[in-house]
């Protein structure tokens, strides 16, 4: 029996035969999914777009239209994006958000990577602090209880990563240390933190930290949540960095030792640069997870994006549009996380090519 | 290594062992100092606020109601009972979510690699959307969807006979009757028997090469054993169909909107992550294995089951263990939509009693125990399937 040549991919019919019904099971799956899509797509599109109200004077006319009420987002987007920040000053959090995003993008562009990054981040964080707090350069002072929305989400996650990363690296080194006492402390910390949900750490920071501190000293709620996030992220980063450290062959340690480098010189100049390069993909994964996890601060009432949406939903004139509000925020999160993970994949491909790109420069 | 020359111990900064000892003393000292400082502050604060320490509060009356519980509970029960209710709720959600997330995850993971364009694109879109939106937000979306978009009980959706979906949650037919326990015991015995027969057949095939059929055994045991249970258990089993009564439903198996949203959210979210693990695991098996199996004339389904999956499992199981631990920890997000899990109940307790330290200790101990049990189980399984090298 001679086999027929496979159908061409160029013609639509050939493409369909190769990709949609190449076997009875495949035909069945195609038909099933096509049927499901035909059932689900029209009502979904109708709700999302065709019957949705993009402009509406009030909630009642939205409800009568029967679709999604995007007019609610149009009405409340400033509250959702910037929380209760003074209305006239909202250009400041907007500018801070743009600066943070620019710094994140700048970090991702390979051409800028190097020592300049520290300067970039130092400057950005300073600018963000000045813009958000004010009190200098003729800007009015804004207490951080009034911060909210997207800038707060970005601040919590970028500061969280910035501080958790060095702590995580130290913990990983401690866990690999030959000194039993230091190793034990690091192992206990990492396992304890990784064993409990972030929420319980946030509760702990909101209920227990005030008990720990001497009378008269109090840390504000935002900083307490930030500390909990840093503590949490450091343990996860430590485990990933440990994986990287384990992948470095013994010869590298011995080589570094033999040229007389001290422990910290060995780590800083020889081991860590290689170990961190290996673990970039899982590190980026952890950063994305951390960015998503900052949404949990809503549980202790901090005004991040989700809490700001809840505040917008609490307006009695516009109740009952939770799905729209949360979908809007979900879209914001999706744009951030999806771009970072796309970038991570391109970075992975770049690193997989490794040496030849270095040679071609 | 053993024969390495060791300098005699000296109290000198030049001596590495002396330095190591000194560093450790400094670090342990600092940690102890910090701990002492925090503990003394805490004791002082507790004393000035008149909060008693210790777990005596567990025996006091809780006085708050819990929306749903598997075991009996009323507000006049103790805090101990209330916390137990929370723990059971956490375990119930985690176990159900775990099982269904695994099933959905494996299906989606295999679907992502399907040669069918429609199937793989749909699976990819699912994974990308699910993984890039915070779980908390997904839970809130599901909860809002159930509360706002689904109709009221009067015009509840009825996708299957006996199943109703409305803004009061999901209702499904419940199985009731006195012989229910007999039938379940029969099923368990049948499962154990099938397992033993399968193991016997496998050893025999390894020893003699004789292949024997398993499915007649499965069919027979699964029919006979539960029927025996039905006969011995009083021959009573019936479906309790939910039916409309006034403004609400009666009978059947009811999922509250909170539980319903939490389960859907946890299952779909975790499945997205498990799907990626499964995909990576299958892709880690070299193409040659597929081609070799194909050349022996095995059909695709059997190649996947007999050749690819056993090898892929070695890559799949360790990260899946972390996902399982994540499901258990993520179930604590229940507090955001008002499902009374362990964290939510303990939080209420410590708001009422001020026993913050004890509350956090209970949460930590509970999660540590459950996580440890899951890790042990999964590590045991991992060891069983691991590659045995010479």
């Amino acid at each position: 029996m001679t086999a027929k040549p496979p159908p061409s991919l160029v013609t639509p019919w050939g493409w369909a035969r190769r990709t949609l019904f190449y076997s009875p099971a495949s035909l069945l799956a195609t038909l099933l999914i096509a049927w499901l899509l035909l059932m689900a797509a029209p009502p979904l599109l109708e709700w999302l777009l065709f019957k949705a109200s993009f402009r509406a004077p009030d909630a009642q006319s939205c409800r009568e239209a029967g679709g999604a009420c995007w007019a609610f987002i149009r009405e409340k987007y400033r509250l959702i994006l910037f929380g209760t920040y003074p209305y006239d000053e909202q250009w400041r959090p907007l500018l801070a958000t743009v600066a943070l995003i620019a710094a994140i993008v700048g970090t991702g562009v390979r051409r800028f990577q190097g020592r300049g990054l520290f300067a970039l981040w130092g400057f950005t964080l300073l600018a963000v602090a000045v813009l958000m707090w004010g009190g200098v350069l003729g800007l009015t002072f804004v207490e951080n209880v009034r911060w909210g929305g997207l800038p707060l989400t970005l601040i919590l996650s970028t500061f969280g990563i910035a501080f958790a990363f060095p702590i995580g690296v130290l913990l990983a080194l401690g866990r690999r240390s030959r000194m039993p006492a230091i190793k034990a402390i690091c192992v206990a910390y990492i396992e304890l933190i990784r064993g409990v949900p972030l929420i319980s750490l946030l509760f702990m920071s909101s209920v227990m930290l005030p008990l720990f501190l001497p009378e008269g000293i109090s840390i504000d709620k935002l900083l307490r949540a930030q500390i909990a996030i840093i503590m949490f992220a450091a343990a996860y980063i430590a485990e990933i960095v440990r994986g990287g450290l384990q992948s470095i062959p013994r010869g590298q340690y011995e080589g570094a030792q033999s040229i007389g480098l001290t422990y910290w010189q060995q780590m800083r100049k020889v081991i860590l640069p290689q170990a961190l390069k290996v673990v970039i993909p899982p590190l980026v994964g952890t950063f994305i997870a951390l960015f998503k996890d900052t949404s949990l601060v809503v549980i202790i009432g901090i005004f991040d994006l989700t809490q700001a949406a809840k505040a917008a939903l609490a307006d009695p004139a516009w109740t009952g549009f939770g799905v729209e509000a949360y979908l809007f925020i979900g879209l914001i999160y999706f744009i951030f996380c999806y771009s970072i993970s796309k970038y991570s994949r391109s970075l992975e491909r770049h690193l997989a090519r490794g040496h030849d790109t270095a040679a071609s420069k | 290594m053993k024969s390495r020359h060791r300098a005699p111990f000296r109290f000198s900064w030049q001596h590495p062992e002396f330095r190591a000892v000194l560093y450790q003393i400094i670090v342990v000292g600092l940690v102890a100092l910090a701990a002492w400082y925090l503990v003394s502050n805490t004791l002082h604060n507790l004393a000035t606020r008149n909060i008693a320490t210790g777990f005596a509060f567990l025996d006091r009356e809780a006085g708050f109601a819990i929306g749903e519980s598997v075991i009996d509970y009323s507000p006049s029960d103790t805090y101990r009972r209330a916390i137990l209710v929370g723990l059971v709720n956490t375990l119930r959600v985690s176990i159900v979510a775990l099982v269904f997330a695994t099933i959905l995850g494996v299906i989606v993971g295999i679907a992502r690699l399907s040669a069918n364009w429609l199937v793989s694109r749909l699976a990819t879109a699912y994974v990308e959307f699910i993984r890039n939106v915070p779980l908390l937000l997904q839970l809130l979306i599901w909860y809002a969807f159930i509360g706002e978009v689904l109709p009221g009980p009067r015009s509840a959706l009825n996708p299957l006979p006996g199943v109703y979906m409305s803004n009061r949650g999901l209702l499904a037919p419940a199985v009731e009757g006195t012989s229910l326990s007999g039938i379940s015991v029969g099923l368990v015995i049948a499962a154990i028997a099938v397992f033993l027969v399968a193991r016997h057949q496998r050893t025999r095939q390894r020893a003699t090469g004789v292949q024997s059929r398993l499915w007649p055994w499965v069919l027979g045991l699964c029919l006979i054993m539960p029927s025996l249970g039905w006969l011995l258990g009083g021959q009573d089993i019936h479906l309790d169909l939910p039916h409309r009564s006034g403004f609400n439903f009666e009978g059947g198996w009811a999922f509250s909107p909170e539980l319903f949203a939490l389960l859907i959210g946890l299952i779909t979210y975790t499945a997205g992550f498990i799907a990626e693990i499964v995909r990576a695991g299958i892709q880690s098996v070299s193409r040659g294995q597929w081609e070799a199996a194909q050349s022996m004339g095995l059909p695709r389904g059997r190649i996947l089951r007999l050749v690819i999956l056993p090898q892929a499992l070695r890559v799949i199981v360790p990260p899946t263990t972390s996902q399982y631990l994540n499901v258990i920890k993520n179930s604590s997000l229940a507090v955001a939509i008002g499902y009374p899990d362990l964290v939510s109940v303990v939080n209420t307790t410590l708001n009422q009693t001020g026993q913050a330290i004890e509350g956090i200790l209970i949460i930590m101990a509970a999660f540590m125990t459950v996580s440890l049990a899951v890790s042990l189980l999964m590590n045991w399984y991992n060891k069983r399937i691991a590659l045995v090298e010479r």
Side-chain angles (χ1 to χ4, degrees):
Chain A
M1 191 185 99
T2 50
K4 268 188 273 180
S8 151
L9 273 171
V10 182
T11 62
W13 175 239
W15 176 83
R17 268 183 66 192
R18 279 273 288 269
T19 56
L20 295 179
F21 9 92
Y22 52 87
S23 73
S26 170
L27 177 65
L28 199 69
T30 304
L31 288 180
L32 194 70
I33 287 178
W35 179 75
L36 273 177
L37 284 179
L38 281 178
M39 294 297 287
L44 201 66
L45 284 178
E46 203 169 274
W47 184 83
L48 277 172
L49 295 172
F50 303 133
K51 274 193 175 176
S53 336
F54 291 89
R55 288 164 188 278
D58 52 33
Q60 196 50 42
S61 56
C62 255
R63 264 186 217 107
E64 276 156 17
C69 183
W70 303 120
F72 169 74
I73 306 291
R74 178 191 286 272
E75 179 77 17
K76 300 282 184 191
Y77 75 95
R78 296 222 359 203
L79 177 59
I80 296 177
L81 286 180
F82 301 119
T84 53
Y85 207 87
Y87 198 80
D88 295 332
E89 304 280 333
Q90 281 181 357
W91 60 272
R92 282 160 53 183
L94 178 65
L95 215 58
T97 309
V98 171
L100 275 173
I101 295 174
I104 296 170
V105 173
T107 311
V109 180
R110 258 164 239 129
R111 202 153 12 113
F112 299 147
Q113 281 166 3
R115 300 220 164 256
L117 269 183
F118 286 99
L120 172 76
W121 275 103
F123 178 74
T124 311
L125 296 185
L126 185 73
V128 168
V130 168
L131 280 168
M132 293 301 286
W133 262 305
V136 288
L137 305 174
L139 298 170
T140 49
F141 178 71
V142 178
E143 264 186 300
N144 58 9
V145 287
R146 301 203 63 180
W147 299 7
L150 182 59
L152 191 67
T153 293
L154 286 174
I155 287 172
L156 279 174
S157 36
T158 43
F159 277 76
I161 293 163
F163 285 94
F165 186 67
I167 301 175
V169 171
L170 284 181
L171 281 170
L173 290 176
R175 194 168 183 168
R176 301 255 305 157
S177 162
R178 269 191 234 118
M179 302 180 226
I182 291 176
K183 186 175 173 179
I185 290 172
C186 293
V187 171
Y189 176 86
I190 293 172
E191 294 305 333
L192 266 179
I193 298 285
R194 275 162 40 97
V196 296
L198 175 57
I199 299 199
S200 68
L201 285 181
L202 286 171
F203 279 139
M204 190 170 103
S205 75
S206 73
V207 212
M208 265 167 92
L209 262 184
L211 283 180
F212 284 158
L213 295 171
E215 264 182 297
I217 295 182
S218 67
I219 308 182
D220 77 33
K221 203 157 102 179
L222 186 61
L223 188 58
R224 273 185 274 161
Q226 181 75 78
I227 291 174
I229 289 175
I230 292 171
M231 280 173 65
F232 180 77
Y236 280 81
I237 291 175
E239 280 302 89
I240 287 171
V241 174
R242 180 167 76 112
L245 289 173
Q246 278 174 351
S247 75
I248 307 298
R250 273 190 71 87
Q252 294 286 329
Y253 290 87
E254 288 163 352
Q257 242 166 357
S258 71
I259 53 172
L261 296 182
T262 66
Y263 175 78
W264 291 109
Q265 282 174 327
Q266 286 172 35
M267 290 304 140
R268 203 160 46 84
K269 292 185 194 294
V270 181
I271 307 299
L272 278 176
Q274 302 180 66
L276 292 180
K277 187 179 153 182
V278 175
V279 293
I280 283 176
L283 267 182
V284 176
T286 313
F287 292 166
I288 295 176
L290 182 63
F291 182 69
K292 290 191 293 174
D293 279 344
T294 53
S295 64
L296 299 191
V297 294
V298 70
I299 282 165
I300 52 170
I302 288 183
F303 235 86
D304 79 321
L305 266 176
T306 318
Q307 180 76 5
K310 285 194 152 187
L313 286 168
D315 181 351
W318 290 89
T319 53
F321 299 113
V323 179
E324 288 89 336
Y326 296 135
L327 279 181
F328 176 61
I329 300 192
L331 186 69
I332 296 178
Y333 272 105
F334 178 79
I335 291 170
F336 275 96
C337 297
Y338 186 69
S339 342
I340 301 174
S341 81
K342 271 266 164 207
Y343 169 73
S344 155
R345 253 169 275 167
S346 82
L347 197 65
E348 232 171 296
R349 275 195 296 276
H350 174 78
L351 288 177
R353 279 184 286 140
H355 297 292
D356 54 271
T357 41
S360 66
K361 263 186 190 165
Chain B
M1 278 306 195
K2 281 275 165 62
S3 63
R4 196 169 57 180
H5 171 72
R6 289 173 63 132
F9 190 82
R10 272 181 293 124
F11 288 95
S12 152
W13 191 245
Q14 302 300 320
H15 195 281
E17 277 177 42
F18 174 75
R19 280 207 308 262
V21 171
L22 202 69
Y23 283 144
Q24 292 186 65
I25 291 174
I26 293 172
V27 170
V28 172
L30 282 177
V31 170
L33 204 68
W36 173 81
Y37 177 71
L38 295 178
V39 168
S40 66
N41 278 333
T42 311
L43 289 179
H44 175 74
N45 285 331
L46 289 176
T48 51
R49 289 179 209 187
N50 265 330
I51 303 175
T53 50
F55 290 91
F57 73 98
L58 284 176
D59 292 319
R60 296 215 303 268
E61 188 183 308
F64 60 87
I66 295 180
E68 49 195 297
S69 74
V70 184
I71 55 176
D72 291 330
Y73 172 81
S74 74
S76 59
D77 281 327
T78 56
Y79 281 116
R80 190 189 301 279
R81 187 84 183 162
I83 292 172
L84 187 67
V85 169
L87 182 63
V88 172
N89 278 345
T90 290
L91 289 177
R92 167 165 77 151
V93 166
S94 310
I95 292 169
V96 175
L98 234 150
V99 171
F100 284 97
T102 309
I103 298 171
L104 185 61
V106 170
I107 294 174
V108 176
I110 293 175
R112 278 204 69 174
L113 295 170
S114 163
N116 187 312
W117 184 85
L118 209 52
V119 173
S120 67
R121 284 306 147 98
L122 203 64
T124 308
Y126 168 81
V127 168
E128 292 294 352
F129 275 104
I130 286 287
R131 280 161 51 99
N132 287 316
V133 176
L135 173 60
L136 179 80
L137 215 51
Q138 296 188 26
L139 290 179
L140 290 171
I141 292 174
W142 286 116
Y143 192 53
F145 176 80
I146 293 168
E148 290 169 12
V149 180
L150 286 186
R154 284 183 149 220
S155 45
L157 300 177
N158 193 354
L160 294 168
V163 177
Y164 293 94
M165 280 157 79
S166 71
N167 57 15
R168 303 281 177 86
L170 174 80
L171 285 145
V175 188
E176 281 180 355
T178 48
S179 57
L180 192 62
S181 52
I183 292 177
S184 355
V185 170
L187 272 177
V188 171
I189 294 174
I192 294 172
V194 165
F195 175 75
L196 290 176
V197 169
R199 205 169 67 169
H200 170 73
Q201 288 186 344
R202 210 168 41 228
T203 16
R204 199 176 60 162
Q205 187 184 350
R206 270 190 201 146
T208 63
V210 180
Q211 285 190 7
S212 32
R213 294 216 163 97
L214 185 61
W215 68 262
W217 284 94
V218 176
L219 205 67
L221 282 166
C222 288
L223 278 177
I224 294 165
M225 285 299 167
S227 312
L228 266 177
W230 176 73
L231 275 173
L232 296 176
Q235 306 174 18
D236 167 44
I237 188 151
H238 57 271
L239 279 180
D240 183 17
L241 291 173
H243 51 272
R244 288 192 180 84
S245 126
F247 292 108
N248 212 334
F249 286 94
E250 258 177 27
W253 206 23
F255 288 87
S256 66
E258 290 82 20
L259 180 60
F260 191 24
L262 185 64
L263 278 178
I264 299 183
L266 273 178
I267 291 169
T268 49
Y269 185 77
T270 314
F273 286 83
I274 293 182
E276 279 301 89
I277 295 171
V278 170
R279 179 181 67 97
I282 294 177
Q283 281 181 331
S284 76
V285 180
S286 74
R287 275 203 67 79
Q289 298 278 334
W290 279 100
E291 287 159 359
Q294 249 163 0
S295 71
M296 286 170 66
L298 283 178
R300 240 182 116 81
R302 293 190 74 183
I303 297 178
L304 198 64
R305 191 164 57 85
L306 295 173
V307 180
I308 306 301
L309 274 183
Q311 299 182 68
L313 271 180
R314 291 173 192 140
V315 182
I316 291 173
V317 169
T320 307
T321 307
S322 338
Q323 284 307 322
Y324 283 0
L325 299 181
N326 280 346
V327 174
I328 297 167
K329 284 186 274 175
N330 283 339
S331 72
S332 63
L333 292 185
V335 70
I337 53 172
Y339 177 77
D341 78 320
L342 177 71
V343 175
S344 150
V345 171
V346 172
N347 193 39
T348 314
T349 305
L350 59 89
N351 279 337
Q352 285 187 2
T353 58
Q355 309 265 0
I357 299 168
E358 292 83 353
I360 300 291
L361 281 179
I362 291 173
I363 293 183
M364 287 197 165
F367 275 98
M368 289 284 172
T369 317
V370 175
S371 303
L372 217 60
V374 173
S375 313
L376 280 179
L377 201 69
M378 291 298 285
N379 282 340
W380 168 79
Y381 180 62
N382 191 35
K383 210 164 271 169
R384 261 180 58 104
I385 58 162
L387 184 65
V388 182
E389 281 180 293
R390 270 177 297 140

